[in-house]
Amino acid sequence: MTDKSRGSHRATPRATRRRFLAAAFGAGAAVALAKIGNGISFAEETASDVTTEVAAAGGTLVIPELAAKTDDNGVSVFALKAGTGTDTSLVSGTTLKTAGYNGTYLGPTIRVSDGEQVRFDVTNQLGADTTVHWHGLHIAPSNDGGPQNVIADGETWSPATTINQGEACTLWYHPHGLGNTADQVALGLAGMLIVDDGSAANAALPTAYGADDVPVIMQSMGVLSSGSFVTTNAGFTASGTTLKFLVNGASATDETPTLEVAAGRVRLRLLNASLVDSITVARSDGATVTQVASDAGLLAAPIEVSGLRITPGERAEIVLDLQTGTTVTLRATARSSTNGARYTVSMLEVTGTGTDTPAALPATLNTIDALDTTGAAARTFTFANSGNTFTINGVAGTSVTAMTNNMIMTTLGATEVWTLVNSSTTIYHNFHVHDVPFQVVSIGGAAPTGANLGWRDTIELPPSTTVVIRLKFTDYADSTFMYMLHCHNLIHEDDGMMLGLMVV
């Protein structure tokens, strides 16, 4: 299939949008290059061949390396090796078992371009089964990395695809097995996946990885007195549990990481990779930050926000304008699935060391037209629990059989309207669907605002609240492999809050 549209704005060839934006920005938009670690990040092609060098950022913030890629007859091959390790620094006197991709905790950042042919060679050396799901990637279900794509210990899984997002976005990758997703993500199996799209809008933002374009992977974690990561709700409040807030794998609870940027503007790609906690990010001085993207792409226009509430699995992109010598401190407040505040930490100090004055941000970043829902099928999904059994429409998706027997069936090209009902009066859920992003129609009966006007693939479901979304299934169909729809509180997911979705 060659139709790359997610909605009516995708039906318009991408080149049309590029021409419009190029006219708005002029030919001065440049390709930014930054040599970081073992890789070179490339930004977007524009009408200009000018290259701007941006010095690598300094400070104590650990920045994941770019994943190296090799060429196999025009296919970019990324090798990931899932393996185990230990950590003795997170909690004094405690040796923690960890896991990571190509290392002992977290994984490299994979950076790809829309239209690029890629293959991921994933080798499992964990000593247990695993999967790798490409969260937010528009990809065939056979390559999606769900529970049907189990990688046995010692085996290699090699899904191949052509990147088919349609626009620039910040995604991530992590395990997605049955009953062990929280366990494996808690160990550290997660990494960022960045898609570039060749648009002038994206090129107008900072794009030099590790220099003025920086990943911020946030994790609200707990360590039990027994010396293992918390993987149950009860564990977070158990006697002797030590709570930690990690940024790119290092504890901001113990020492606030610093980032020194030799540019007048920095782009921070925020990812909440926590198991259960939502994270509110705000400036410590109360000033606003500029958000430019939500989960699945750039917003229609930059917006000023006093804070961002990001639930597990969600991403948000912000930019900070930095005067020379000015330090901006971002704080993070972690909240439980009942919205109780666990703690607030200073998660990152950003200092500008450059002397340049950034150009004004473009007034228009993206064109997002509403999906046409004329004749669209309507479905309702009710999220509920009985004790530690969590269900969608009364089904606990704890096995492939349970999901197969209760499969949600749709057809290629269908547009649907989904009503998501959180029946709990106290518990927050959040919803994620594989394959395609969605548009928000309403939240609690009110029209969406702010970042909820952009493309999403994950969204919060507050207690006793109904969220309505619309989505269109394009490009991929399969009668054997299914996608997933589920709560991205990973403990709720492991306890059954997941259904299978098949596009035929």
Side-chain angles (χ1 to χ4, degrees), residues 38-285:
N38 296 324
I40 298 178
S41 82
F42 99 107
E44 322 309 328
E45 292 182 1
T46 66
S48 172
D49 292 326
V50 178
T51 297
T52 302
E53 294 286 347
V54 182
T60 62
L61 178 70
V62 177
I63 300 177
E65 289 191 348
L66 282 173
K69 66 180 179 181
T70 57
D71 181 84
D72 183 5
N73 293 318
V75 176
S76 299
V77 180
F78 296 89
L80 294 175
K81 186 178 295 183
T84 60
T86 58
D87 181 278
T88 58
S89 63
L90 195 60
V91 178
S92 178
T94 300
T95 299
L96 280 167
K97 179 182 178 181
T98 65
Y101 301 105
N102 298 354
T104 59
Y105 196 80
L106 297 182
T109 297
I110 299 173
R111 191 159 199 171
V112 295
S113 302
D114 199 41
E116 185 176 1
Q117 297 181 64
V118 302
R119 188 177 79 235
F120 304 111
D121 289 343
V122 185
T123 301
N124 178 8
Q125 295 185 342
L126 294 172
D129 289 351
T130 193
T131 70
V132 179
H133 166 54
W134 321 103
H135 182 125
L137 193 65
H138 185 43
I139 191 170
S142 57
N143 294 327
D144 186 54
Q148 290 176 293
N149 298 127
V150 173
I151 313 169
D153 183 47
E155 298 297 319
T156 297
W157 178 54
S158 298
T161 190
T162 298
I163 301 300
N164 188 19
Q165 291 302 109
E167 62 188 72
C169 52
T170 299
L171 313 177
W172 65 303
Y173 59 97
H174 61 81
H176 206 304
L178 284 174
N180 63 3
T181 299
D183 294 342
Q184 294 193 352
V185 172
L187 289 173
L189 289 169
M192 193 167 279
L193 172 59
I194 296 172
V195 178
D196 291 313
D197 70 347
S199 70
N202 194 47
L205 302 171
T207 52
Y209 184 84
D212 61 4
D213 184 353
V214 178
V216 181
I217 301 174
M218 307 176 294
Q219 296 167 285
S220 179
M221 307 291 287
V223 179
L224 297 168
S225 58
S226 60
S228 59
F229 285 109
V230 169
T231 58
T232 65
N233 282 312
F236 281 100
T237 56
S239 175
T241 293
T242 302
L243 298 178
K244 295 283 185 176
F245 188 85
L246 309 185
V247 178
N248 292 352
S251 173
T253 302
D254 299 306
E255 183 178 358
T256 304
T258 61
L259 180 67
E260 298 171 357
V261 181
R265 175 176 293 147
V266 63
R267 179 186 199 166
L268 301 179
R269 300 177 185 262
L270 306 176
L271 159 64
N272 184 353
S274 306
L275 303 187
V276 303
D277 286 359
S278 65
I279 297 170
T280 299
V281 177
R283 289 178 56 146
S284 61
D285 61 5

Side-chain angles (χ1 to χ4, degrees), residues 416-473:
E416 300 197 359
V417 177
W418 290 3
T419 298
L420 314 172
V421 180
N422 182 355
S423 65
S424 173
T425 59
T426 58
I427 299 175
Y428 282 71
H429 297 299
N430 73 332
F431 171 79
H432 171 55
V433 62
H434 296 202
D435 183 23
V436 293
F438 54 79
Q439 297 174 340
V440 180
V441 177
S442 63
I443 300 175
T449 59
N452 284 327
L453 291 169
W455 287 101
R456 308 301 305 264
D457 60 50
T458 310
I459 192 167
E460 184 170 61
L461 304 179
S464 303
T465 299
T466 295
V467 175
V468 180
I469 63 173
R470 55 190 170 223
L471 61 174
K472 182 177 182 179
F473 297 97

Side-chain angles (χ1 to χ4, degrees), residues 195-400:
V195 178
D196 291 313
D197 70 347
S199 70
N202 194 47
L205 302 171
T207 52
Y209 184 84
D212 61 4
D213 184 353
V214 178
V216 181
I217 301 174
M218 307 176 294
Q219 296 167 285
S220 179
M221 307 291 287
V223 179
L224 297 168
S225 58
S226 60
S228 59
F229 285 109
V230 169
T231 58
T232 65
N233 282 312
F236 281 100
T237 56
S239 175
T241 293
T242 302
L243 298 178
K244 295 283 185 176
F245 188 85
L246 309 185
V247 178
N248 292 352
S251 173
T253 302
D254 299 306
E255 183 178 358
T256 304
T258 61
L259 180 67
E260 298 171 357
V261 181
R265 175 176 293 147
V266 63
R267 179 186 199 166
L268 301 179
R269 300 177 185 262
L270 306 176
L271 159 64
N272 184 353
S274 306
L275 303 187
V276 303
D277 286 359
S278 65
I279 297 170
T280 299
V281 177
R283 289 178 56 146
S284 61
D285 61 5
T288 61
V289 298
T290 304
Q291 184 173 0
V292 294
S294 53
D295 289 326
L298 296 177
L299 300 176
I303 59 174
E304 294 298 313
V305 294
S306 58
L308 301 91
R309 182 179 169 103
I310 308 173
T311 63
E314 283 188 31
R315 290 85 61 212
E317 296 180 29
I318 63 173
V319 296
L320 301 175
D321 286 352
L322 305 167
Q323 295 180 342
T324 304
T326 298
T327 296
V328 173
T329 300
L330 296 177
R331 68 171 188 267
T333 299
R335 292 185 175 275
S336 72
S337 58
T338 56
N339 207 34
R342 295 202 199 277
Y343 53 78
T344 298
V345 299
S346 294
M347 78 167 196
L348 184 63
E349 292 181 355
V350 186
T351 301
T353 63
T355 57
D356 65 303
T357 300
L361 288 171
T364 300
L365 294 172
N366 202 352
T367 301
I368 304 175
D369 296 327
L371 290 170
D372 182 0
T373 57
T374 303
R379 303 181 194 267
T380 297
F381 299 95
T382 300
F383 294 70
N385 73 290
S386 177
N388 288 328
T389 298
F390 287 79
T391 62
I392 303 177
N393 288 352
V395 177
T398 53
S399 69
V400 171

